[in-house]
Amino acid sequence: MAGCSNNKPSDSASPSESPSASPTASASESPSAPPSSSPSEGPKDGGTMTISTFSDIVSVNPIFINDTASGDIDALVFAKLYDLDRNANLVAEPWSIAAELPNISDDNKTYTIKLKNTAKWSDGQPITADDVIFTFDTVRNPDVGAPGISQYDKIEAINKIDDQTIEIKLKQVYAPFQFSLFASITPAHILKDVPAKDLKTHPFGVDPAKTVTSGPWMFSEWKQGQHITLNKNPNYWGEKKPHIDTIIYKIYADQNTEVQALMKGDVDMTQAVPLTQIEPLKAKEGIEVILEPGPTYEYIQFNFKDENFPDKYSPFKGQKTRQAIAHAVNRQGMVDNVLKGSGGLMNTPFLPGSWADPGDKATNYTYDAEKAKALLAEDGWKPGKDGILEKDGHRFSFELQYNSGNSRREQVAAIIQQNLKDVGIEVNPKGIDFATWIDQNITPGKFPAILLAWSLSNPDPDAESIFSSKYFPPAGQNGGWYVNKEIDELWVKGQLTVDQAARTEIYHEIGAKISVDLPYVFLYQYGLPQAVNTSKIKWAEEDAPESSLAYGYLFHAINWWVESK
């Protein structure tokens, strides 16, 4: 995924929101690409591609991106140091800033990176080692509050050898570090004099006129809640140029409205088709629906910080209480009835089939209301006068937040509400505008409980920034304020281990332990139903969308083109 954040909450609905092994498969597996949509005459220059979304952006400043909507734009307007190929391998593409893969020292602690001498910003200034150093130093500065800090705080020093050469020295072996180089770079000449505490509120990333970029397209216009316009970058430096002149993101109220816009021809692509709409879209001439497993999993996250509750008491601190909720929630029913069988149950933060997946070593919570009631009783919860459980004078009632307009989450939240009512827990679902929710609740960790998903932008399974007590907001993504020192140590052990077989055992141990302790109820992995008007939007087979990658729905979009109607 774009930006410097490891993984991102995902806003989308049914089978991307957005935090991993090669996202859905091990790196050795080769996902099959959709067929070519291209006619024999080949690419054409010009035209407009219009994409629908139901979530507005927060900021496209790569340092602070923590949501999929903003990451969508980042992926098109900022060049990355390195990119990922279809199999989630790190590569230096013609559109990457790096000239070649990094040289890694024998002790795995020094990375030497060569940059292209042709790369430049949209204002014509060259992209140099100074920009890379500024970006990484800024993200690893805890005063900045960058969500991706865990990927860069293992750096001991970054040395500038010359304008096109950087040497990064790590404090320790950090096995996932190569994927930390899959990152968008920010312009030092624009931001270097901004105080660290002021970077987040700087207009860079929200005001197109003040946002200097480096990718094939420029951030040209943002009408909040309406549309975002990206125009071809006239100063684009890559040896391959974009064919499409303009990309427009139209923002709709919900996913069903998006589908109607696609059916009417108002947009050319939507990336989050509700499952109930797939068959009508397939029947529409010229529209192709792509539905494959994606690097995304949905979860219920608990907040353990008392101040996030009206009565200043988190009801989720008992492990048996969390296990009871896992038993009370009909996860398989969600897969069968909401996802229509297109998802798979999750028990850990590691995607099924990936090399980090512990399989049967993880605890699986079957749907069992009686078991849930017994566990709640063991943890001290007793029915109150209205049937809702109470403990120490506190009623077991909480708000479950999700993003409005997400049809899947609306259905799942209703199921959770009924399932937990059946065992004596009152749930109050609340839909909130995604951009507002991310900025005001998710990023600062101010919520009682949430229904959300991680889009795994980093192919490595390390999820320290999400689950470690070292990474509470704002410098980290552990927004539930979860603490488990034993698991904290295992994340570090996994980072210090280079041998894949040994790392596998460590992540299997993490999976076993986290599935018992349950900072989340892990629900299911799901895919991203992408629908494209392939009579208009064209690509060669090697550039087709790749469902297994975060933001893979725009894989190699620089090579796509538009056929005039």
Side-chain angles (χ1 to χ4, degrees):
M1 219 131 98
C4 292
S5 173
N6 183 23
N7 299 300
K8 296 175 178 62
S10 168
D11 59 340
S12 61
S14 58
S16 148
E17 235 155 268
S18 227
S20 205
S22 74
T24 45
S26 65
S28 63
E29 295 173 331
S30 180
S32 59
S36 167
S37 74
S38 63
S40 58
E41 59 264 27
K44 299 178 179 179
D45 290 339
T48 298
M49 176 169 67
T50 304
I51 303 172
S52 75
T53 179
F54 67 97
S55 296
D56 207 343
I57 64 173
V58 179
S59 168
V60 300
N61 183 339
I63 292 169
F64 298 107
I65 289 177
N66 196 31
D67 65 283
T68 52
S70 301
D72 277 330
I73 307 304
D74 168 277
L76 298 168
V77 303
F78 283 99
K80 291 181 174 54
L81 186 58
Y82 290 96
D83 284 273
L84 298 179
D85 69 12
R86 194 175 291 279
N87 297 318
N89 299 309
L90 198 73
V91 287
E93 297 280 17
W95 44 86
S96 306
I97 295 170
E100 58 193 38
L101 287 173
N103 181 278
I104 305 173
S105 63
D106 291 340
D107 66 359
N108 290 290
K109 292 169 66 176
T110 302
Y111 289 67
T112 303
I113 299 166
K114 295 285 292 184
L115 309 182
K116 295 185 176 84
N117 60 12
T118 53
K120 60 183 178 181
W121 297 102
S122 55
D123 62 1
Q125 293 295 308
I127 300 175
T128 70
D130 293 330
D131 299 303
V132 179
I133 294 170
F134 167 78
T135 302
F136 290 178
D137 279 348
T138 299
V139 176
R140 68 192 183 108
N141 179 353
D143 293 335
V144 172
I149 188 172
S150 68
Q151 289 185 280
Y152 303 94
D153 61 0
K154 284 80 176 173
I155 293 174
E156 181 178 283
I158 311 179
N159 301 314
K160 177 181 176 179
I161 307 303
D162 56 45
D163 280 349
Q164 272 74 50
T165 312
I166 306 130
E167 181 186 75
I168 302 175
K169 291 185 175 293
L170 303 181
K171 302 172 187 175
Q172 61 183 62
V173 172
Y174 179 49
F177 188 69
Q178 62 165 321
F179 295 112
S180 304
L181 305 177
F182 169 50
S184 298
I185 303 302
T186 51
H189 69 286
I190 300 295
L191 298 174
K192 63 182 174 62
D193 295 326
V194 179
K197 61 181 178 59
D198 297 333
L199 278 167
K200 192 168 186 178
T201 56
H202 192 273
F204 180 89
V206 293
D207 183 348
K210 297 180 180 179
T211 305
V212 174
T213 58
S214 56
W217 294 275
M218 297 173 61
F219 182 37
S220 302
E221 184 184 37
W222 179 22
K223 294 287 187 183
Q224 291 191 22
Q226 299 179 45
H227 67 264
I228 299 155
T229 302
L230 314 179
N231 289 320
K232 188 184 291 187
N233 178 1
N235 281 322
Y236 184 60
W237 49 272
E239 57 189 79
K240 285 192 173 183
K241 309 297 183 187
H243 298 296
I244 299 172
D245 279 347
T246 304
I247 299 176
I248 297 174
Y249 278 81
K250 284 188 177 181
I251 303 166
Y252 290 88
D254 55 55
Q255 293 163 316
N256 290 317
T257 311
E258 286 186 79
V259 171
Q260 292 306 308
L262 180 64
M263 297 278 277
K264 290 191 296 183
D266 293 341
V267 301
D268 307 312
M269 179 190 305
T270 183
Q271 55 165 320
V273 179
L275 288 169
T276 55
Q277 300 284 351
I278 287 178
E279 292 307 318
L281 280 172
K282 283 183 176 179
K284 179 77 171 177
E285 185 178 356
I287 292 180
E288 178 181 342
V289 178
I290 303 165
L291 175 56
E292 299 291 342
T296 311
Y297 72 84
E298 198 133 67
Y299 57 86
I300 304 167
Q301 182 176 7
F302 306 117
N303 203 309
F304 298 95
K305 196 170 187 178
D306 289 334
E307 68 184 56
N308 287 306
F309 296 82
D311 58 354
K312 308 302 179 187
Y313 176 84
S314 170
F316 304 121
K317 292 180 181 178
Q319 186 186 82
K320 288 184 178 180
T321 293
R322 301 191 296 276
Q323 293 172 344
I325 292 173
H327 276 298
V329 173
N330 189 355
R331 300 185 300 149
Q332 189 61 54
M334 295 171 186
V335 170
D336 294 341
N337 300 314
V338 179
L339 303 187
K340 307 298 182 185
S342 66
L345 292 182
M346 295 275 294
N347 294 311
T348 74
F350 310 125
L351 294 183
S354 69
W355 61 265
D357 175 22
D360 292 342
K361 295 177 183 177
T363 300
N364 179 54
Y365 294 87
T366 55
Y367 176 47
D368 189 336
E370 295 307 312
K371 177 68 172 177
K373 290 177 184 177
L375 285 166
L376 288 163
E378 289 174 26
D379 215 16
W381 292 98
K382 297 179 181 179
K385 292 180 180 179
D386 61 356
I388 300 302
L389 297 174
E390 295 179 351
K391 180 179 179 181
D392 299 330
H394 298 279
R395 193 166 177 270
F396 205 153
S397 175
F398 66 91
E399 181 179 270
L400 178 66
Q401 300 177 357
Y402 63 94
N403 55 308
S404 56
N406 186 312
S407 62
R408 183 189 66 255
R409 290 201 183 118
E410 289 172 357
Q411 296 176 70
V412 171
I415 293 170
I416 293 168
Q417 182 183 37
Q418 183 59 56
N419 287 164
L420 294 189
K421 181 181 179 181
D422 292 343
V423 299
I425 300 172
E426 182 179 70
V427 179
N428 301 302
K430 182 178 181 180
I432 306 174
D433 170 73
F434 186 67
T436 302
W437 187 39
I438 291 294
D439 189 47
Q440 297 182 10
N441 301 96
I442 304 303
T443 299
K446 295 180 179 180
F447 54 83
I450 58 173
L451 175 61
L452 191 55
W454 283 118
S455 180
L456 305 175
S457 52
N458 190 327
D460 194 275
D462 178 56
E464 183 187 34
S465 182
I466 301 169
F467 296 106
S468 172
S469 59
K470 291 193 296 183
Y471 296 107
F472 293 141
Q477 297 172 298
N478 183 357
W481 309 89
Y482 171 66
V483 178
N484 185 312
K485 295 298 184 183
E486 187 177 8
I487 294 176
D488 286 357
E489 292 173 4
L490 285 170
W491 291 121
V492 175
K493 186 177 178 182
Q495 296 164 1
L496 292 169
T497 305
V498 176
D499 179 75
Q500 176 116 337
R503 282 192 84 199
T504 298
E505 291 304 311
I506 294 166
Y507 290 107
H508 286 185
E509 185 177 359
I510 291 173
K513 291 182 181 297
I514 210 166
S515 69
V516 170
D517 204 34
L518 292 182
Y520 296 178
V521 172
F522 301 97
L523 296 175
Y524 42 75
Q525 175 193 3
Y526 62 98
L528 171 63
Q530 176 182 357
V532 187
N533 179 353
T534 51
S535 66
K536 180 179 177 184
I537 307 302
K538 302 295 179 179
W539 56 70
E541 184 175 352
E542 62 269 21
D543 301 316
E546 179 48 64
S547 298
S548 71
L549 296 176
Y551 294 107
Y553 82 99
L554 288 170
F555 187 72
H556 289 186
I558 190 173
N559 293 331
W560 295 8
W561 69 97
V562 172
E563 286 284 345
S564 54
K565 294 182 179 179

